[in-house]
Amino acid sequence: MIGGQAGQGIQTISSALAKTLVRAGLYVFTHQDYMSRIRGGHNFNQIRFSGNPVSSSRSKVDILVALDRNTVEIHRGGLAANGLIVYDSGAIGQKYDGAEFLDVPSRRIATDVAGGRLMENTVAAGAVTGLLGMDVAHLANLLSEMFQPKGQEVVDKNVAAARAGHKFASESCPGCAFNAPVDESAPRRMLIEGASAVGLGALLSGCRFYAAYPMTPSTPVLNYMAAKSRKYNLVVEQAEDEIAAINMAIGASFAGVRAMTGTAGGGFALMVEGLSLAGMTETPVVILVGQRPAPATGLPTRTEQGDLQFVLNAAHGEFPRLIMAPGSPEQAFYLTNKAFDLAEKYQVPALILSDTYLTDAEWTVTGLDTSRLKYEDYRLRAGDLERLTGYKRHAFTETGVSPLAEPGASRHLVVTDSDEHDEEGHIIEDAATRTRMVEKRLLKKLPQLREEMEPPLVYGSREPETVLAGWGSTYGVIREAVDALSQKHNLAMMHWSEVWPFPAAEKSGYLPVLKAARRTVCIENNATSQFARLLRGQTGYQFTDTVNKFDGRPFLLDELTDRIEGLIG
Amino acid sequence: MADPEQFSGQTPSWCPGCGNLNILKAFKAAMSELGLSPHQLTLVSGIGQASKLPHYTAGNTFNGLHGRPLPVATAIRLANHNMIAVAVAGDGDCYGEGGNHFLHAMRRNVNVKLFVHDNQIYGLTKGQASPTSQAGMVTKVQPFGVLLEPLNPVALAVAMDASFAARAYAGDTSFLTEMMTAAMEHRGFALIDILQPCVTFNKLNTYRWYHDRVYRIGAGHDPGDREAAFRLALEQEKIPTGVIYKHERPLLEDQIPVLAGREPLVRQPFSIKAVEKEIDEFY
């Protein structure tokens, strides 16, 4: 764990260490805990690694890098047996006694070898690799790569600082028993967090237009898209508000390009009338909703799964929508692609329901397979349209899906209306057309959409006595909880990452598994078990138990296993 | 000049004598005069009596939500800068519900034409005050008269340094047609605030009332002179109509590198292959 104040460079040390560990063949999982402020306060990043896949954080800390006194005070109680607190008494102005403290004079070392305190965090990162018994070359290589754009001098200084930190720690703590199980023969792996995975997924799905108003935790996706815009012919517009953002995305989509918007629960509240507009005009649009603790402004930088029922029910009127709730960056990547594909195939709004934890947490991923991505342009372009003698934007069809034409690509006019409309898209009020339009837009599409939804992922025992159920970002911690408890108990995970239309129970037979189990526990990062309510409404099945957490923090592995053991004994 | 008939649409459901009918007439005349075909246009409207206009003429149409035509029209231009985008709105739609979008559309200077049917009253909801209603006007909801000062859209546009700001009068169809043509030919965001009598609900700002006040700006006015424009926009006793402010500003579309001098976004090809190397960044 690296802890300190906002602005002290926690993220820099953390990123360098995490990537170094991945490069050394380890599986790494990181998560951030930060306050809604730019300077000061108390923030920390947690890095967990192993020779086996990891997908959650634990509460006990083996090595704590404390960049200020506050960090020492807050986290010394959470130190594991034989844990170590690395700090710089010169920098934080306090000397600690005790076997668990290691005073690394990072500031002095940085000044000695790199001519200033700028590199003190690099010294600390080097010290950590020393304590882990790693060859300093892993970190040095990464730093060279990271700082190459800033010139050789910056690279040299950083490498020198890392080496000095590594040397100091190795010599000062020869007995440290943190042996990182480095695996030089491991395949190259990725380290990616949810936000980049969504951005990458959008980019690879042909997203051409992204409009958004900044709001945590969706802003990193806006940043990612903006960073890639020039290279990949993408227009990114910062809208004046979320209402404009969704209307822009809808406008761009109407004009013929794939479009997306992103926000948090609070911003989505403003987008709701636009969601209904997309439903009525059958305009494909992808909407990222990053949940954070609410109501109102809530805990802006923290995490919660409190908006499931909101997103399910948001907007006036009845129309179909898709909701994906990825559980990992890997799922976020593929499900973003699925959202784009289905949104356009069925001309419906598709939501990606994320949260702060999924947005920020970095996972180790063996690779992303682009052959699993789908890209098909469902729109009628100039060539297709010239062959048509007539065109009706909202024509009645067998499937309820009408031809979606690019306006201006031919002489055929593309007309749509937020009022109820006829096949051509013109405003009407008659009962018969209204009835047929609802049937077309909603009732015909809904069963087809439901058919596209994947059932929950079942992991662990085939005939479990206990089922640990969840949706969205709790995937990693539930999966590891199953691993951790499987020696003593017969249990399985059941995880939903596609939540609406609710996957048909007949499709995978998940209901019999639930019914056969003695105990079924629905684990949710909210206060009212919103998913449990959804499942009950859709299938009539009620979980025997629920586990909730709503303090704005994600579930930690040992915390969850303790609570499960408390339930199942 | 193209055949004006190609711009005919459904039969309007507006009240007999409504100022909107003249605006529709001027619109069709302007589009024909410019030699345009309906498929080259996208008409974007919100909700209100004005916003029904696209159905009564011909063009690609996005009749969206109350107050929201400008974000939609903006994005249409960004996705396809070969498309002509015309936003049609009412005073409640554009200056009330969509006020924020109006401000930012002027800042963006995207090449959208905004025709506001300004009847100083809410028609669709039957007679409440609008943002441009005169102070003191008594309505069912404002029994003590309107207590707020009216918004002056053209003065606001001059203050926002909008690229083109005109005021027109629906009772002077030929001058309105001229202004619509000028707005369409102008390269930049263009507002025409069209004063329009509401024969059913607005008993104050009648044809007679306008007839006594409205005049055409003379040739002496330089629309490039911002201070003169501001003075004209603020004139109280008489109501000047014409192009009040006009100047060239860089278009948003021309400042976005992936659009400037390129094919519209909607024409630009995509393949997964061309983008997949982005994955490498995370190794």
Side-chain angles (χ1 to χ4, degrees):
Chain A
M1 176 185 286
I2 299 105
Q5 298 171 22
Q8 277 195 305
I10 295 165
Q11 194 56 41
T12 319
I13 307 184
S14 172
S15 300
L17 279 175
K19 210 148 187 174
T20 299
L21 292 162
V22 172
R23 295 277 180 90
L26 296 157
Y27 288 93
V28 176
F29 177 87
T30 79
H31 103 262
Q32 307 178 7
D33 186 296
Y34 56 101
M35 297 175 75
S36 183
R37 56 194 288 172
I38 309 301
R39 295 273 180 227
H42 174 66
N43 294 353
F44 64 85
N45 277 18
Q46 225 167 322
I47 303 174
R48 185 170 161 229
F49 65 89
S50 164
N52 300 310
V54 281
S55 56
S56 63
S57 292
R58 288 188 306 195
S59 56
K60 289 292 176 192
V61 175
D62 294 305
I63 299 175
L64 172 66
V65 179
L67 301 181
D68 67 350
R69 278 177 287 184
N70 201 20
T71 300
V72 175
E73 296 314 319
I74 292 172
H75 296 285
R76 65 191 296 182
L79 210 60
N82 303 319
L84 202 61
I85 300 174
V86 176
Y87 74 112
D88 177 358
S89 61
I92 73 175
Q94 175 127 5
K95 183 90 184 153
Y96 296 95
D97 291 326
E100 74 271 36
F101 287 95
L102 179 65
D103 187 358
V104 178
S106 300
R107 186 164 291 179
R108 185 178 54 74
I109 294 174
T111 311
D112 289 350
V113 304
R117 46 185 284 201
L118 201 60
M119 309 286 165
E120 62 183 322
N121 286 342
T122 310
V123 176
V128 174
T129 59
L131 297 175
L132 294 174
M134 293 173 73
D135 189 331
V136 74
H138 292 290
L139 177 61
N141 291 343
L142 183 86
L143 292 170
S144 306
E145 193 185 304
M146 271 171 77
F147 292 106
Q148 203 60 58
K150 293 189 173 176
Q152 194 57 41
E153 196 191 336
V154 179
V155 169
D156 292 344
K157 281 183 175 176
N158 272 284
V159 169
R163 284 186 190 283
H166 183 274
K167 182 162 179 281
F168 182 91
S170 309
E171 287 168 1
S172 314
C173 193
C176 286
F178 309 109
N179 281 321
V182 169
D183 180 2
E184 305 282 2
S185 65
R188 267 163 58 81
R189 298 194 186 99
M190 302 168 70
L191 184 69
I192 187 167
E193 89 296 356
S196 294
V198 170
L200 196 58
L203 212 57
L204 281 150
S205 301
C207 177
R208 276 297 154 77
F209 185 90
Y210 191 93
Y213 186 89
M215 186 169 182
T216 306
S218 63
T219 315
V221 179
L222 173 60
N223 292 342
Y224 180 86
M225 299 305 264
K228 302 298 172 192
S229 62
R230 185 190 275 266
K231 203 166 164 192
Y232 296 110
N233 301 355
L234 177 77
V235 169
V236 176
E237 185 64 10
Q238 182 177 326
E240 55 270 28
D241 54 35
E242 287 85 351
I243 300 171
I246 190 166
N247 277 278
M248 283 180 181
I250 291 169
S253 180
F254 175 78
V257 300
R258 289 194 169 182
M260 180 173 177
T261 181
T263 185
F268 182 66
L270 291 180
M271 290 188 178
V272 163
E273 64 161 4
L275 180 71
S276 186
L277 176 68
M280 185 53 139
T281 58
E282 301 182 87
T283 309
V285 62
V286 175
I287 307 161
L288 167 70
V289 183
Q291 301 165 98
R292 67 187 219 191
T297 312
L299 295 167
T301 60
R302 304 195 180 272
T303 199
E304 194 161 276
Q305 294 182 300
D307 294 335
L308 175 65
Q309 290 289 344
F310 172 42
V311 165
L312 277 165
N313 296 295
H316 49 307
E318 299 173 297
F319 59 91
R321 76 191 72 194
L322 290 163
I323 306 173
M324 306 296 179
S328 66
E330 198 174 353
Q331 290 181 5
F333 174 74
Y334 295 115
L335 290 178
T336 301
N337 177 250
K338 189 168 181 174
F340 270 99
D341 181 64
L342 294 181
E344 192 170 285
K345 185 176 178 187
Y346 294 99
Q347 302 169 26
V348 295
L351 295 119
I352 301 163
L353 188 56
S354 166
D355 58 31
T356 309
Y357 183 51
L358 176 67
T359 298
D360 294 337
E362 293 171 300
W363 291 51
T364 306
V365 177
T366 300
L368 295 173
D369 180 4
T370 53
S371 73
R372 279 178 60 190
L373 300 179
K374 194 164 178 210
Y375 180 77
E376 189 180 338
D377 184 9
Y378 297 96
R379 291 166 202 263
L380 300 182
R381 305 288 182 184
D384 317 301
L385 287 163
E386 273 153 24
R387 287 190 285 276
L388 297 180
T389 49
Y391 171 76
K392 291 173 177 173
R393 169 65 192 96
H394 296 286
F396 296 125
T397 62
E398 198 56 44
T399 58
V401 179
S402 311
L404 180 61
E406 178 197 317
S410 72
R411 298 192 78 84
H412 298 298
L413 298 181
V414 185
V415 178
T416 193
D417 197 340
S418 70
D419 290 279
E420 189 58 273
H421 40 259
D422 59 16
E423 287 182 278
E424 286 186 343
H426 287 297
I427 182 169
I428 58 99
E429 294 200 25
D430 72 280
T433 309
R434 161 69 179 182
T435 304
R436 284 194 73 186
M437 274 296 163
V438 175
E439 284 166 358
K440 170 195 128 52
R441 201 165 48 223
L442 173 64
L443 301 179
K444 281 188 172 177
K445 288 184 189 176
L446 208 49
Q448 300 170 73
L449 286 167
R450 189 181 300 279
E451 202 52 43
E452 300 271 8
M453 295 293 107
E454 286 298 319
L457 178 72
V458 181
Y459 171 79
S461 167
R462 284 171 172 271
E463 290 177 355
E465 272 176 44
T466 304
V467 173
L468 304 185
W471 63 282
S473 71
T474 50
Y475 169 77
V477 73
I478 297 176
R479 191 181 166 115
E480 278 204 78
V482 167
D483 290 336
L485 297 169
S486 279
Q487 285 172 342
K488 280 200 278 176
H489 305 280
N490 171 18
L491 75 182
M493 172 188 77
M494 195 174 280
H495 178 270
W496 280 261
S497 58
E498 304 185 19
V499 296
W500 196 260
F502 203 73
E506 308 77 48
K507 204 168 165 183
S508 75
Y510 59 82
L511 264 187
V513 177
L514 287 171
K515 285 173 179 166
R518 208 159 55 83
R519 219 177 246 287
T520 57
V521 188
C522 189
I523 299 155
E524 300 191 52
N525 226 175
N526 60 39
T528 60
S529 299
Q530 298 189 18
F531 182 81
R533 275 194 340 257
L534 173 64
L535 183 86
R536 189 179 172 194
Q538 292 298 307
T539 66
Y541 181 80
Q542 175 141 18
F543 291 109
T544 64
D545 297 272
T546 54
V547 167
N548 302 87
K549 184 172 184 184
F550 44 88
D551 59 357
R553 274 73 176 168
F555 283 103
L556 300 175
L557 179 57
D558 42 351
E559 173 197 10
L560 181 61
T561 52
D562 285 353
R563 288 180 70 173
I564 300 300
E565 290 213 281
L567 277 175
I568 62 181
Chain B
M1 180 167 161
D3 176 14
E5 275 308 299
Q6 64 173 341
F7 284 101
S8 55
Q10 298 183 338
T11 308
S13 63
W14 292 319
C15 307
C18 176
N20 281 332
L21 294 162
N22 288 346
I23 299 173
L24 177 63
K25 204 166 128 193
F27 179 82
K28 290 179 183 174
M31 296 306 126
S32 306
E33 224 164 87
L34 291 163
L36 294 171
S37 298
H39 75 279
Q40 295 174 290
L41 292 173
T42 297
L43 306 174
V44 187
S45 65
I47 295 300
Q49 293 296 357
S51 293
K52 295 177 183 171
L53 181 135
H55 298 287
Y56 307 149
T57 178
N60 298 298
T61 297
F62 192 97
N63 182 0
L65 296 169
H66 189 53
R68 317 297 170 213
L70 285 173
V72 173
T74 298
I76 288 171
R77 280 288 306 174
L78 295 178
N80 184 357
H81 57 259
N82 285 349
M83 178 60 72
I84 299 167
V86 179
V88 183
D91 40 330
D93 194 326
C94 187
Y95 307 138
E97 190 85 28
N100 196 28
H101 310 311
F102 177 52
L103 293 182
H104 293 277
M106 290 189 280
R107 289 183 56 223
R108 280 192 183 94
N109 196 37
V110 69
N111 201 357
V112 166
K113 313 305 164 190
L114 171 63
F115 300 159
V116 183
H117 303 207
D118 183 358
N119 58 8
Q120 299 163 265
I121 197 99
Y122 280 63
L124 195 69
T125 54
K126 301 188 176 175
Q128 302 79 19
S130 93
T132 52
S133 291
Q134 274 184 259
M137 179 195 261
V138 175
T139 80
K140 277 185 200 166
V141 180
Q142 284 82 23
F144 320 115
V146 174
L147 306 176
L148 286 69
E149 283 300 315
L151 185 144
N152 182 331
V154 176
L156 181 59
V158 178
M160 291 295 295
D161 204 27
S163 182
F164 181 108
R167 189 187 285 136
Y169 170 46
D172 186 352
T173 317
S174 63
F175 197 39
L176 172 58
T177 308
E178 259 177 56
M179 257 177 278
M180 283 183 173
T181 311
M184 297 292 286
E185 283 174 337
H186 177 74
R187 203 173 146 71
F189 180 83
L191 162 73
I192 309 180
D193 183 59
I194 308 166
L195 301 170
Q196 169 222 343
C198 172
V199 292
T200 306
F201 297 110
N202 192 335
K203 303 298 183 194
L204 189 63
N205 311 107
T206 59
Y207 279 102
R208 180 80 250 162
W209 188 90
Y210 282 116
H211 184 81
D212 293 343
R213 289 167 178 79
V214 163
Y215 74 95
R216 292 182 178 189
I217 300 168
H221 173 61
D222 170 14
D225 181 342
R226 196 174 179 190
E227 280 181 34
F230 207 59
R231 272 195 302 277
L232 260 185
L234 292 173
E235 217 170 273
Q236 291 280 357
E237 294 304 307
K238 294 280 180 181
I239 304 172
T241 59
V243 178
I244 290 179
Y245 187 47
K246 188 172 104 166
H247 70 128
E248 291 279 337
R249 267 176 56 191
L251 282 185
L252 181 66
E253 300 91 308
D254 289 346
Q255 297 180 81
I256 298 176
V258 302
L259 302 182
R262 297 224 205 158
E263 283 279 284
L265 212 52
V266 73
R267 290 269 97 76
Q268 296 182 14
F270 169 78
S271 78
I272 293 175
K273 273 268 166 279
V275 189
E276 66 184 5
K277 59 182 174 295
E278 279 306 314
I279 294 174
D280 298 345
E281 187 184 310
F282 299 95
Y283 278 95

